[in-house]
Amino acid sequence: MARPDPGETGATVILEVFRYLPDDEWDPRFQGYEVPYHSDWVILDALNHIRNWIDPTLSFRWSCRMGVCGSCGMMVNGEPKLTCEGFLSEYYPDPIRVEPLAYFPVVKDLVINLDDFMAKLPAVKSWLIPQDPKPLSEGEYLQSPAELAQYKRFSMCINCMLCYSACPVYGLDSSFVGPAALALAHRYNLDSRDGGQRDRAEAVMSHEGIWECTYVGDCTRVCPKDVDPAGAIQMAKLSYATDWVRSVLLPGRKRR
Amino acid sequence: MNREHLRVLPADWWLRKRSYSFFMMRELTSLAVAAYAVFLLALVATAAEAGSFTRFFEWLRHPVSVGLHLVALSMVLFHSITWIKLMPESLVVWRGEERIPGRLIAAGGFAGWIVVSVLVAFLALR
């Protein structure tokens, strides 16, 4: 090595990696890899080291390696985590167990099938539905900082699906719409430019929607972007319930 | 043929993670709240007749009854405290661009709880 590596310590750390190779007849199993321990390495660096230098058959998803793209989420010692955000030093010298995101079907090794989540995002109509659409010539829909503050936190989702792997309700019943999609639906319901709360009701208020949530709260705990899906779902329950009561008591009134 | 590997949640999933166990405790202690509501209904039902009311009261002094009440009290306390702590999540109040801190809303919940408890104690013990 031409340049000294400041993070290099000479020590090693063991990664116990979940392996599933559908072309082989093996059952899923854990495979141990010994990788050099660098104090400035994250788990994703260690996985890339394995694939580049030890075992090229290992498969996993990643892209930005800086907590923005949301594709490197995996179970690390049983906790859903972005592997680009977990430093080896947090676990050293103990071995680190890496598994694919819980509850999703495993395609190969650490790669999960995310079709289910991709179908749920549009099912809750996660886009602006203006109350009174106006032609482009009339300009943009304006919004005050106070109106932005209402939903901003819930708009920070990067679709990493850690919240789904934290949710035992989703683990027990994958038809549950789930934390991220419901939080996103609520993000648009809270938007002052939006009038689509009733249009989203069918997916959000269904049995598989907000009412299936039992408020374990782990989705919020594991969220790398501090979105608070659990809070969004409880707010949505309150909002849709009051909307329903209002529609019963004042049937003639125009609904939101 | 779908060759994807499916993982199933084990039956003891709620024992495998602290946060899951805590959630289960929060939910299961609600049974004590429901049970005590039934108990209060029984109390009201016996109050109609003087004889049955005294017999009911005699039974309440029994150590088994006192023990059950202590267990129910601890469960109801756990349930109420965790419930009020979760209240700010669904009750969001804004003052302009600032969200009223959740701690303040929870404090309001605790204050209301204490006021009602004192009121009930005053009516029951006077």
Side-chain angles (χ1 to χ4, degrees), chain A residues 167-240:
Chain A
C167 176
V169 177
Y170 182 69
L172 291 164
D173 176 12
S174 64
S175 64
F176 176 39
V177 178
L182 290 173
L184 216 51
H186 194 58
R187 170 249 177 276
Y188 285 100
N189 285 346
L190 288 175
D191 195 314
S192 61
R193 301 163 295 177
D194 184 271
Q197 176 153 347
R198 305 283 317 176
D199 299 291
R200 292 184 194 99
E202 195 186 327
V204 172
M205 278 247 287
S206 66
H207 179 67
E208 292 80 23
I210 48 177
W211 302 113
E212 192 161 355
C213 167
T214 54
Y215 203 173
V216 179
D218 256 25
C219 49
T220 293
R221 192 173 60 79
V222 303
C223 179
K225 293 289 156 187
D226 197 27
V227 170
D228 189 15
I233 294 172
Q234 310 324 308
M235 284 170 72
K237 284 178 184 170
L238 192 64
S239 165
Y240 274 103

Side-chain angles (χ1 to χ4, degrees), chain A residues 20 22-23 28 78-79 100-101 103-106 113 145-146 149-150 166 168 172 214-215 218 228 231 234-235 238, chain B residues 2-10 13 17 19-20 23 26-27 86-92 94 96-99:
Chain A
Y20 172 62
D23 288 336
E79 281 281 306
L101 277 181
Y103 315 139
F104 292 99
V106 183
N113 181 341
Q150 293 273 328
L172 291 164
T214 54
Y215 203 173
D218 256 25
D228 189 15
Q234 310 324 308
M235 284 170 72
L238 192 64
Chain B
N2 185 359
R3 293 185 305 167
E4 287 172 353
H5 171 61
L6 299 173
R7 291 161 295 171
V8 199
L9 210 58
W13 60 270
K17 202 182 255 188
S19 49
Y20 288 1
F23 156 76
R26 194 190 79 208
E27 297 299 296
L86 287 177
M87 203 170 67
E89 293 282 354
S90 47
L91 201 64
V92 176
W94 292 85
E97 285 170 49
E98 300 255 326
R99 183 173 164 174

Side-chain angles (χ1 to χ4, degrees), chain A residues 109-169:
Chain A
D109 296 339
L110 301 166
V111 178
I112 52 139
N113 181 341
L114 38 81
D115 289 351
D116 181 52
F117 178 63
M118 287 303 161
K120 280 167 180 168
L121 273 181
V124 297
K125 299 193 194 323
S126 48
W127 53 82
L128 272 185
I129 304 172
Q131 182 116 52
D132 305 300
K134 56 181 187 180
L136 265 181
S137 56
E138 286 179 32
E140 59 274 69
Y141 296 91
L142 296 176
Q143 190 164 58
S144 71
E147 287 166 337
L148 169 70
Q150 293 273 328
Y151 69 83
K152 191 176 178 202
R153 185 181 191 185
F154 304 128
S155 72
M156 305 308 281
C157 177
I158 56 172
N159 299 342
C160 66
M161 298 174 292
L162 296 195
C163 52
Y164 283 77
S165 288
C167 176
V169 177

